[in-house]
Amino acid sequence: MAAGGYGRYRAVIFAAMFVGYTLYYFNRKTFSFVMPAVMAEVPLGKDELGLITSSQSAAYAISKFVSGVLSDQMSARWLFSSGLLMVGLVNVVFSWSSTVTAFAGLWFLNGLAQGLGWPPCGKILRKWFEPSQFGTWWAVLSTSMNLAGGLGPIVAALVSLNYDWRMTLSFSGFICVVVSFVCLVLIKNEPSDVGLPNIEQGAKKGKKGSSSDNSTLTELLLSPYLWVLSTGYLVVFGVKTCCTDWGQLFLIQERGQSMLVGSSYMSALEIGGLVGSIAAGYLSDRAVARVGLSSYGNPRHALLLSMMAGMCVSMFLFRVTVTGDSPKENHFWTVALQPLADLTGLKEHELWILTLGAVFGFSSYGPIALFGVIANESAPANLCGTSHAIVALMANVGGFLAGLPFSTIAKHYSWATAFWVAEITCTGSTVAFFLLRNIRTKMGRIPRKAD
């Protein structure tokens, strides 16, 4: 009877969050979707466009950190729903505007509202799902971003056939407003809100979970594992951003590949990433189901390390084996891919580049999902949002380092050198994480009996 109640509420709550976060992400990108139409009506140069998009990015990074802390202090359903309401209202008001100042200011507010989306999702997932299910549903929920990013341009283009960009933003914003109230009604913070027993979190045999629930922020910040996770997330997210932002230029400018091959590499990377996220969540959950969570080590570490090693290997092959004259050389992969090339009509070297992109996407998006899951489940229940906010902030630092600092190395040396630096950094981080894999992973207050 209870299991049936959990199942029904889980399905409704998860569906509401999936639809809600899909709208969050779609309305984060609406300006990009309608940018050509906006530029046709309002004179906007590259500097103005950069100002508008950068204002949102800066606000989002700040807001996501603050939201993670707030999710531990207030109702997650109210935080999620109010953020979606704000996103909708900002998009509607944006559609009424016509100046660069208004655009930048409103898109900054959009970024602030966007940060209220994901941290409450992590909090609610942890409350409603068993530790052995948490990673899978976290990964599936994250695919809402892939869905919105993939279908968003198509939907915006179809709407623009009959309506202008202002109507497109107004319509998408209005849907957000309506769905925000639906989410407020359907989403519940925890099982006890509907009369069901709360799900016990933590170690498989732990009887004193309540001791960790009373941990303070200072005790969380003094946990070495928090900073091991943060450093690993910084490196992985930074290296992933290097490949997504600059991989196409590397292929075209230094490896003599066509623009079509470069864009196809990016598509293969995203597809591989979608599969990698779900696989990481599902497979690591199976490991947790077998051995449970403990205070030292984590069953998800083996898969995490394997995928990080996959990142290193795929980056090395990407840098070394892809050359301007690769169609003329008889590499081992040329023979292996020839049957598939004959079947698809693509050249062997093109298939090899797509394969490397898919493998890197699989190997990088998996750890990105796992770092978030581990940061959430390893923290005390009253600080899991804060824990995720800290590691996510470090990931944003990695994303920043993948921008100007990375391109500066390429400017003074070459893209190959810049990717070599990223490759070495990723390898060093993987080795360090391997050596530290069995440290105390339960963050927060250490019970006396633990020592």
Side-chain angles (χ1 to χ4, degrees), residues 219-237:
E219 289 168 337
L220 174 69
L221 294 176
L222 291 176
S223 301
Y225 188 60
L226 175 67
W227 303 108
V228 171
L229 283 179
S230 298
T231 305
Y233 201 3
L234 182 152
V235 172
V236 167
F237 192 83

Side-chain angles (χ1 to χ4, degrees), residues 28 31 35 38 42-60 90-91 93-114 165 169:
R28 189 186 309 169
F31 179 70
M35 191 181 292
V38 176
V42 182
L44 293 173
K46 291 181 179 179
D47 290 340
E48 288 83 3
L49 292 174
L51 174 64
I52 295 169
T53 55
S54 296
S55 66
Q56 185 197 52
S57 299
Y60 178 63
V90 167
N91 270 263
V93 176
F94 192 98
S95 69
W96 302 340
S97 308
S98 298
T99 65
V100 174
T101 303
F103 286 163
L106 287 168
W107 225 230
F108 181 84
L109 293 178
N110 182 291
L112 290 179
Q114 288 287 338
W165 67 269
L169 262 70

Side-chain angles (χ1 to χ4, degrees), residues 95-175:
S95 69
W96 302 340
S97 308
S98 298
T99 65
V100 174
T101 303
F103 286 163
L106 287 168
W107 225 230
F108 181 84
L109 293 178
N110 182 291
L112 290 179
Q114 288 287 338
L116 303 181
W118 189 259
C121 289
K123 185 82 172 183
I124 293 168
L125 285 175
R126 176 169 175 174
K127 292 290 187 180
W128 275 98
F129 290 92
E130 303 283 350
S132 59
Q133 301 171 320
F134 183 46
T136 300
W137 292 109
W138 176 291
V140 173
L141 185 59
S142 71
T143 63
S144 60
M145 292 181 279
N146 299 93
L147 178 66
L151 296 181
I154 300 173
V155 173
L158 291 175
V159 174
S160 66
L161 293 176
N162 299 311
Y163 304 98
D164 61 4
W165 67 269
R166 296 181 184 276
M167 182 59 70
T168 301
L169 262 70
S170 294
F171 184 63
S172 64
F174 176 74
I175 293 177

Side-chain angles (χ1 to χ4, degrees), residues 61 64-72 119 375 383-396:
K64 190 174 180 182
F65 174 77
V66 174
S67 174
V69 177
L70 287 177
S71 68
D72 290 327
L383 291 172
C384 62
T386 303
S387 172
H388 181 259
I390 292 171
V391 298
L393 181 64
M394 293 294 283
N396 288 330

